[in-house]
Each structure stands twice: as C-alpha cells, then as structure tokens.
Amino acid sequence: MFSCGLQVRVSQGPDKGRTFPLDSAEITIGRARTPGDRAPGWVLLNDPQTSRIHADLQWNYEGQHYLLIHRSDTNPTEVNGTQIQEAVVLKIGDHVRVGATILDIQQADFRFGGVAPENIARIHEARRSGNTGINHELAYRDPVREGEARGNTKSASRKIALSTRPKLSLEILGGNQQGTKLPMTGFQIQVGGNRAEDLPDGPQWWDQDLALNESALPYRCMAWKWRELDKAFEVQLLRGLSMPITVERRVDGTEWIAEMPHDAVVRIRPYDLLYIGNTALQLVVDR
C-alpha cells in the first residue's frame, strides 16, 4: 500500500477543517459533484470556484516529494501566494490555493488510527542492496519520469512494476486515417487535431501528443490520463471542442452508447469506441 506520510488540511474555504490523506502516487484535486464526496486518488472539494479537475499531485519516488501540476483552464492555482503554471515541488508547510480553498501540506497525524510509514529512503536502499529478504527486484514506475526502474537488486528473478498498463494504441477504424494505429506510449496524453504552425508551445508536463487528421478538431482538445487502479484512461474535454463525441462500450453481450458531456470526466477502457466528427477510433491492446 502506498504511504508517503503526508496529508492536506483545508485551512480556508467551504471545507475548512477537513483533512485528506495523500494515499496515492497520483492524486487529482477538483470539485466534488455531491457534498462530502470522497474517492481514492482524489481531493474532492465543495468549492464552486474550484474546477472539476483543478490540479494534480504526482509522487516523485527519487526525490520523495509531490509535484503539483496546474490543470484548470479557467481558475488559477497558487503556492504560497504565487500563481503557478509549471510543475512545482511541494514540501511540508506549503499552502496551496485552488479557488477559494487553501490546502496546507502537513505531516500525517497517526494518533487516531493508521500506521506511520517507515523511512522510505532506507527501504529503497535495502531493496537496492538485496537485504530485504525478498527474492525479486521491485521496480517503480514514476509518473513524472515514466519507464524508469526504481531499485537495482542483483538477485536473479523477475521484476514487478507498480504500473501494469498494457501496450495500448488508438486504432482508426473510420475517417481520413482509417487503418492507422497511434501508439499511446505516455501516461498523460493530449489528443486533438494537427498543430497550427503559429501556435506557441504550452507547458510541457504531458508525456505525449497525438494528432488526428480531423480538420474541425482543435489541437490538444482532449486530456487522457492513465488511472492505474481503474485500468483505464481518464478523459476530459478541454476548451475549444464544439463537436460531439460519442462513446460506445460492449460488455458481456450488452452495448452502451452515450454522448460524452463536455463538463464530465469519462473513463475510457480498452476496446471502447469513440466517434469524433468523421473519425471512428478504438482503444486497443497491442499484442
């Protein structure tokens, strides 16, 4: 079980006094749909000035800290009074403002239950030296530096990765690129139309850009973020996308079809189909 020994406490805003344990390597800060909502991997706030997906926290195993990444297109994120655009390292005592809410980064309080984490640096060193009593190498997948193994145990055995995501592609089933496969190598991917030559470069915290040859599709109009616990991509529609997107899912002989709402986040699983303008595509597992 992931344990970093940190929590956030709401010191200002509608949720003042609430505490959220930081119990996942990837956490999204955003607005709750129903008051009091809680979900693994989320800090859900009852703040109307907070965006549905406002910011991300990503754990860096090597540095033993969270990176805060601003996600909202409409509402700012501040750390210690300074508005951010790039990824920022968080430390105990920092104050994060999203909307009307201030979140204090704190050491977790274990007086009322739970187990305090051991010294993670010491554990990593034990794994590297092979003194853990475990006969396998434990490899970590860092969300920020995807693909880099954590640990270098010399014992001869198999590797175990915290992320078990299969090799995935978007297969174009209809439209201008029919028959094309676009490999999805990243864990945070922006999908959209072709990039305009005069469009300035934006923040570079995304792992990958995928372009579809659909003339009416804006550049980087969809954000795809891999959610390990759900074994699915979390897809959010960004500003500038006016055309409807239809999602089709076939499970156990039943078929489910719905138009993707522009204000919602939708989980897209392997073999789901999407219809975007004249383009039909499917998330497939590469063999």
Side-chain angles (χ1 to χ4, degrees), residues 121-188:
R122 178 176 57 78
I123 295 173
H124 286 188
E125 179 58 34
R127 285 169 176 155
R128 284 193 292 270
S129 64
N131 294 327
T132 62
I134 301 174
N135 294 321
H136 59 257
E137 176 181 341
L138 181 61
Y140 289 100
R141 185 177 296 279
D142 190 326
V144 179
R145 299 170 62 187
E146 185 274 321
E148 183 176 347
R150 304 298 177 194
N152 189 28
T153 308
K154 296 181 179 179
S155 55
S157 52
R158 63 189 180 90
K159 294 182 179 180
I160 296 178
L162 291 186
S163 175
T164 57
R165 199 197 84 173
K167 293 182 178 179
L168 298 170
S169 294
L170 284 179
E171 184 172 4
I172 312 301
L173 304 179
N176 297 330
Q177 297 168 281
Q178 184 172 350
T180 302
K181 270 189 176 183
L182 303 176
M184 304 184 80
T185 58
F187 281 65
Q188 294 192 96

Side-chain angles (χ1 to χ4, degrees), residues 24-216:
S24 175
E26 296 185 48
I27 295 174
T28 298
I29 301 172
R31 186 174 76 253
R33 293 184 177 277
T34 305
D37 275 355
R38 285 185 181 267
W42 285 81
V43 172
L44 292 169
L45 303 169
N46 302 302
D47 180 355
Q49 297 182 44
T50 300
S51 299
R52 188 77 68 190
I53 294 182
H54 200 112
D56 284 339
L57 295 173
Q58 295 188 348
W59 182 252
N60 182 290
Y61 286 95
E62 183 175 339
Q64 293 297 294
H65 57 244
Y66 273 107
L67 285 175
L68 176 68
I69 300 172
H70 174 67
R71 290 282 303 278
S72 175
D73 289 325
T74 55
N75 299 305
T77 301
E78 297 179 359
V79 176
N80 300 328
T82 301
Q83 186 171 331
I84 68 166
Q85 293 297 333
E86 302 293 335
V88 172
V89 174
L90 291 182
K91 60 184 182 300
I92 294 174
D94 283 346
H95 308 288
V96 178
R97 177 185 285 274
V98 291
T101 297
I102 294 181
L103 302 169
D104 296 340
I105 310 300
Q106 301 178 337
Q107 187 76 39
D109 189 344
F110 296 96
R111 291 177 298 167
F112 306 108
V115 179
E118 298 178 55
N119 186 297
I120 298 177
R122 178 176 57 78
I123 295 173
H124 286 188
E125 179 58 34
R127 285 169 176 155
R128 284 193 292 270
S129 64
N131 294 327
T132 62
I134 301 174
N135 294 321
H136 59 257
E137 176 181 341
L138 181 61
Y140 289 100
R141 185 177 296 279
D142 190 326
V144 179
R145 299 170 62 187
E146 185 274 321
E148 183 176 347
R150 304 298 177 194
N152 189 28
T153 308
K154 296 181 179 179
S155 55
S157 52
R158 63 189 180 90
K159 294 182 179 180
I160 296 178
L162 291 186
S163 175
T164 57
R165 199 197 84 173
K167 293 182 178 179
L168 298 170
S169 294
L170 284 179
E171 184 172 4
I172 312 301
L173 304 179
N176 297 330
Q177 297 168 281
Q178 184 172 350
T180 302
K181 270 189 176 183
L182 303 176
M184 304 184 80
T185 58
F187 281 65
Q188 294 192 96
I189 304 171
Q190 290 197 323
V191 180
N194 290 312
R195 184 177 187 272
E197 292 184 1
D198 58 349
L199 190 67
D201 289 328
Q204 298 301 311
W205 53 69
W206 296 92
D207 297 329
Q208 184 183 11
D209 277 320
L210 285 182
L212 303 174
N213 190 14
E214 179 72 44
S215 59

